[in-house]
Amino acid sequence: MDLRNFIPFIPPFERPPAAKRSAVVALGGGGARGLAHLGVMEVLAQTRVRPERFVGVSIGALVGALCALDSNVHHVRDKVLGFLSSPSFQHHQQHLFGSAGVTEDTATSGIMAWYDRAKNLYSAHRRLTRAVTQISLMPEAILTASIDELVPDVEFSDLPMPLSIVAADLRSGHRVVLETGSVRSAIHASMALPGIFPPVEHDGMLLCDIGVVDSIPTCVASSYATDLTIVVDIGQHNARMEKFETALDIMMRMQDIGEQILRREKTELADIHIRPELADVSWFDFQNPEEIIERGRSAAWEELSRHSIFRVDSPAEKAPADEEPETSPIENVRFR
């Protein structure tokens, strides 16, 4: 029985508005698979969750910077798609892979995927000569030109949204979190794939992409989170391998295995773990950007729908007021 039918002065019941949540969003590395980040961000923009900081590694650093600069992810998506179809990007791709004889029939994943492609960049003689006489297989201009096309020349302090970019310092062996100075320079450092692009001199450090061993910045992100930590993992599954022809094959495979194990352990620190299905997408494959973005959307909808805090029709679940959020200590890290 509804008493309002008999007592007219009782005001109609109104459900309280669902509480908004905040999140630190960690965007992992993975080359072209990073386009899936855009699909995830599109879905996240339709929820009650407000990003309070982006933390990025490699391609995640680039996407994080773009989202920190412009909160309208549709604008960001259109900008990226426009760049991918531009003559300048096509020229860079031709420079990277035009003479490589790149094939698509590989079963490798993670670090082994880019390693296999790198092996095909040049003939055996030219590849060996460059590898033992120069610091990288490719010039830095290819990387910097792409970053400059997408990101304006701004400082971290100019960003509307806080941003942390993670890289590795070859000299000290530390993980480095960049939060001051040039955003372009920080992205460049985080995307400088070891051996492929030269490392970046920065404030006495020699920085490169840490993603080949630590591809999702969960520890850094969780240390900032006041509410939620959301991790977007765009790594590939650890595919089985049967043949190992050289000592280098074995060493690279072990590095791949180590990265996979570390990635699984890091995801346990996150409140929400979104992992698009990208096993068949190579790190350099920008052929179907819309499809990769859509895979990010699908994975985000599937994962977020499991959490009642994201349902618009239900109140958010709050932790008791006397409970402090847990943060994990970050070892071997320097903040700059």
Side-chain angles (χ1 to χ4, degrees):
M1 177 182 295
D2 192 342
L3 292 178
R4 284 173 294 185
N5 296 330
F6 302 93
I7 311 176
F9 58 84
I10 295 180
F13 172 77
E14 294 182 3
R15 175 174 294 181
K20 292 183 179 180
R21 304 295 297 268
S22 63
V24 175
V25 182
L27 303 175
R33 298 190 295 273
L35 293 170
H37 288 319
L38 297 174
V40 172
M41 293 308 301
E42 284 186 25
V43 175
L44 194 60
Q46 300 177 53
T47 70
R48 295 182 282 105
V49 177
R50 177 184 62 84
E52 59 178 316
R53 177 182 292 270
F54 293 104
V55 181
V57 164
S58 195
I59 190 69
L62 177 59
V63 176
L66 292 171
C67 292
L69 281 161
D70 189 346
S71 60
N72 189 324
V73 67
H74 299 291
H75 292 169
V76 174
R77 179 199 61 200
D78 292 344
K79 184 175 185 177
V80 171
L81 291 177
F83 171 68
L84 293 179
S85 62
S86 68
S88 62
F89 179 78
Q90 298 303 321
H91 173 74
H92 295 326
Q93 286 292 93
Q94 182 66 24
H95 192 173
L96 267 171
F97 301 110
S99 60
V102 174
T103 61
E104 300 292 335
D105 57 347
T106 181
T108 59
S109 64
I111 191 171
M112 293 303 299
W114 66 256
Y115 169 62
D116 282 345
R117 297 316 185 274
K119 288 196 302 184
N120 293 322
L121 285 174
Y122 301 103
S123 65
H125 175 72
R126 290 186 63 192
R127 184 176 67 251
L128 179 61
T129 300
R130 189 175 182 93
V132 299
T133 61
Q134 299 188 39
I135 200 167
S136 66
L137 291 175
M138 301 303 298
E140 67 176 9
I142 294 177
L143 188 56
T144 56
S146 298
I147 295 170
D148 292 352
E149 285 277 346
L150 289 168
V151 180
D153 188 12
V154 297
E155 303 282 306
F156 277 87
S157 58
D158 298 323
L159 297 173
M161 174 75 65
L163 172 69
S164 301
I165 290 178
V166 187
D169 178 17
L170 292 173
R171 291 187 175 126
S172 70
H174 285 90
R175 181 196 291 122
V176 177
V177 183
L178 301 170
E179 297 175 340
T180 60
S182 167
V183 175
R184 281 179 173 176
S185 178
I187 296 170
H188 183 189
S190 189
M191 294 185 70
L193 196 63
I196 306 300
F197 295 108
V200 176
E201 288 279 357
H202 179 86
D203 196 19
M205 300 177 291
L206 190 62
L207 303 179
C208 69
D209 185 354
I210 197 173
V212 294
V213 292
D214 190 9
S215 61
I216 51 175
T218 317
C219 287
V220 177
S222 62
S223 72
Y224 284 105
T226 58
D227 189 3
L228 299 171
T229 302
I230 298 176
V231 168
V232 186
D233 178 2
I234 55 171
Q236 290 177 312
H237 296 290
N238 197 4
R240 182 177 177 82
M241 295 185 63
E242 300 293 345
K243 289 182 60 178
F244 301 93
E245 298 178 349
T246 68
L248 186 58
D249 287 341
I250 296 173
M251 288 187 290
M252 298 295 281
R253 176 58 169 172
M254 281 305 303
Q255 191 167 5
D256 187 27
I257 292 170
E259 189 274 335
Q260 295 277 349
I261 294 172
L262 185 61
R263 181 147 50 90
R264 287 195 296 269
E265 293 177 348
K266 289 293 186 64
T267 58
E268 296 178 1
L269 299 175
D271 298 295
I272 308 294
H273 176 210
I274 300 173
R275 186 173 189 182
E277 178 52 60
L278 300 165
D280 59 335
V281 179
S282 299
W283 71 275
F284 63 88
D285 185 5
F286 291 90
Q287 298 283 334
N288 301 296
E290 291 279 12
E291 179 184 344
I292 299 174
I293 293 173
E294 178 56 35
R295 293 192 193 186
R297 290 192 199 102
S298 298
W301 278 119
E302 180 179 352
E303 181 60 29
L304 298 183
S305 65
R306 299 173 183 171
H307 299 270
S308 60
I309 55 176
F310 290 95
R311 294 173 188 158
V312 177
D313 62 349
S314 64
E317 297 174 0
K318 291 187 176 181
D322 58 345
E323 289 187 10
E324 293 294 329
E326 294 184 1
T327 56
S328 300
I330 307 177
E331 299 179 356
N332 209 31
V333 180
R334 291 181 177 177
F335 288 81
R336 294 297 180 109

